Amino acid sequence: MLFFCNPQRRVASLLATIALLVSPVLSAAPKQLTLKYDLLQQGITIGTIKDQLSVTGNRYQIASLAEGKGIYKLMGERTLSSQGQVILNTLRPARFESRQSKHPDKALISEFDWAKKVLNMQIKGEQETGALVKGTQDLLSVMYCWMWQPPAAKQVNLSVVNGKKIAPHRFVVTEETTPLQTEAGTFKVVKLADADGEKTLYLARDKGYLPVKLVVQDDGKRMEQVITSITGE
């Protein structure tokens, strides 16, 4: 939609990027959805993530809670939230927030002014602005926007707001021949690999392009977010 440093900062970086990408029409998309994930570092589980998606009419809301396990639990919780509209089979964010319980003064808040094409960002109490381009997503909406508009090309370009800036991303799309086995089940997946070589997202084709696995290579460490359960309608 990702928290802790030394290794907290490394996990914070993951929680900040998990936040990368989900059926073709609005009527086919879930109205209420809860996804749970394990968060792993070098193959060892260090935390959990719970995402909740709610759609009412043309309004959507997503909330994400990340909690550490063991020594990582001491670093507190990381919450992300995104809310906005569903317009022409596209998620259009209106507000994005990133908060950490141990550092309330470091909240990141982004407000999307689509009429003026301006992004207003509150970064640890300071105000910044940026230029909005069509299709811009935030760390949570980008995780789920493909539910309404699945990747149809072999390459997808879009901008993502991470709370501090707007960053362009280019994803190379490939269909995996080997099903992905997880605690939540076995899925036929499409792989979206970020051109920077750091992030790879796996979407379940047979589950409305839900994000079922994310791999992040960060500072020589391999971080993974792997689905453990899916509930909703």
Side-chain angles (χ1 to χ4, degrees):
M1 150 115 339
L2 329 141
F3 61 53
F4 314 110
C5 172
N6 291 339
Q8 300 98 302
R9 183 173 301 162
R10 189 171 297 117
V11 181
S13 176
L14 174 64
L15 293 174
T17 51
I18 284 180
L20 265 143
L21 299 155
V22 224
S23 222
V25 295
L26 177 59
S27 60
K31 304 304 180 184
Q32 302 288 336
L33 191 66
T34 299
L35 304 181
K36 294 181 180 180
Y37 302 87
D38 275 343
L39 181 61
L40 301 93
Q41 177 178 280
Q42 300 296 88
I44 299 174
T45 301
I46 61 173
T48 60
I49 297 173
K50 178 181 180 180
D51 286 359
Q52 293 181 291
L53 167 68
S54 175
V55 180
T56 303
N58 70 338
R59 306 290 303 183
Y60 82 85
Q61 187 166 359
I62 310 171
S64 181
L65 171 64
E67 299 178 284
K69 286 187 175 182
I71 61 172
Y72 299 97
K73 193 175 184 63
L74 299 177
M75 303 311 301
E77 303 171 347
R78 165 63 62 90
T79 60
L80 304 177
S81 66
S82 174
Q83 55 184 297
Q85 293 180 291
V86 183
I87 299 178
L88 298 176
N89 286 345
T90 301
L91 295 190
R92 178 180 286 186
R95 183 182 176 90
F96 169 74
E97 296 186 20
S98 173
R99 299 179 182 274
Q100 188 167 330
S101 61
K102 291 293 184 178
H103 303 283
D105 56 325
K106 295 183 179 181
L108 304 176
I109 302 173
S110 299
E111 304 249 355
F112 296 69
D113 188 336
W114 290 102
K116 297 180 180 179
K117 298 182 179 180
V118 173
L119 177 71
N120 297 300
M121 296 174 285
Q122 178 181 312
I123 306 172
K124 301 177 183 179
E126 301 294 327
Q127 300 295 322
E128 298 285 345
T129 61
L132 278 178
V133 298
K134 183 179 179 180
T136 298
Q137 301 293 323
D138 61 52
L139 286 183
L140 275 181
S141 66
V142 74
M143 196 82 171
Y144 294 93
C145 64
W146 304 104
M147 294 172 65
W148 287 267
Q149 197 171 55
K154 293 186 178 181
Q155 180 174 301
V156 178
N157 298 292
L158 79 168
S159 296
V160 180
V161 174
N162 64 13
K164 296 181 179 180
K165 64 179 182 179
I166 303 174
H169 288 270
R170 177 164 59 90
F171 298 96
V172 177
V173 183
T174 57
E175 187 171 316
E176 294 289 273
T177 57
T178 303
L180 177 67
Q181 294 184 344
T182 73
E183 184 177 328
T186 301
F187 307 99
K188 298 177 181 178
V189 296
V190 172
K191 181 174 72 174
L192 289 85
D194 202 335
D196 63 11
E198 295 182 355
K199 296 170 286 293
T200 303
L201 178 68
Y202 296 83
L203 305 176
R205 290 192 295 111
D206 46 352
K207 280 290 186 179
Y209 291 87
L210 292 175
V212 290
K213 182 178 180 179
L214 176 66
V215 178
V216 177
Q217 300 289 343
D218 180 44
D219 194 25
K221 300 293 185 179
R222 179 184 175 91
M223 311 294 291
E224 297 178 68
Q225 177 183 347
V226 184
I227 194 77
T228 58
S229 73
I230 303 171
T231 58
E233 57 181 4

